[in-house]
Amino acid sequence: MGYCPDCGVEYAAAVAACPRCRVVLTADPPPGPRSLEPEVVHRVPDAAAGALLCGVLEHHGIRAVLRSATLPGYGTVRRDWSTSAWGEIMVARRDAAEARAVIADYLGALERGGQVRDEDVEGG
Ligand SMILES: [Zn+2]
């Protein structure tokens, strides 16, 4: 058996790498409870958008990590060829549903008309 160190999914012995995360599997399951495993909740086009949305999540008490899709040491080679996004926002699995709702609210507020008021990001 192999485990993806990124998403924690378990694969049969014949599988060498996680097709979703494109990382080589490890023999041992990732440490920590599954509820704390990172999950991608949103993809962002650039660093500024990522930092902004991470700030919104932190404001709601959700610890968010911004991960660039580019491989360190490989210049502009994309880590994930299925998306043109610059990077992705990750939160603990237990916070994923709330994080998605917060981001949807925030983006919805932006679409409704330019200015984002405090009420929009406070979440009521
Ligand atoms: Zn994976």
Side-chain angles (χ1 to χ4, degrees), residues 4-96:
C4 173
D6 247 52
C7 66
V9 171
E10 186 179 333
Y11 292 95
V15 182
C18 177
R20 202 182 81 172
C21 308
R22 297 169 199 276
V23 294
V24 176
L25 303 184
T26 57
D28 301 311
R34 295 188 74 83
S35 64
L36 293 179
E37 287 170 15
E39 182 169 325
V40 175
V41 292
H42 196 74
R43 294 187 197 282
V44 292
D46 53 50
L52 182 72
L53 286 173
C54 278
V56 171
L57 290 174
E58 303 273 356
H59 185 76
H60 284 258
I62 300 171
R63 195 168 152 271
V65 175
L66 181 61
R67 185 171 72 171
S68 169
T70 54
L71 273 170
Y74 286 86
T76 56
V77 175
R78 292 288 180 182
R79 182 176 180 279
D80 183 353
W81 284 265
S82 67
T83 174
S84 60
W86 172 87
E88 50 204 15
I89 294 173
M90 310 185 70
V91 304
R93 180 163 297 175
R94 61 174 179 190
D95 295 329

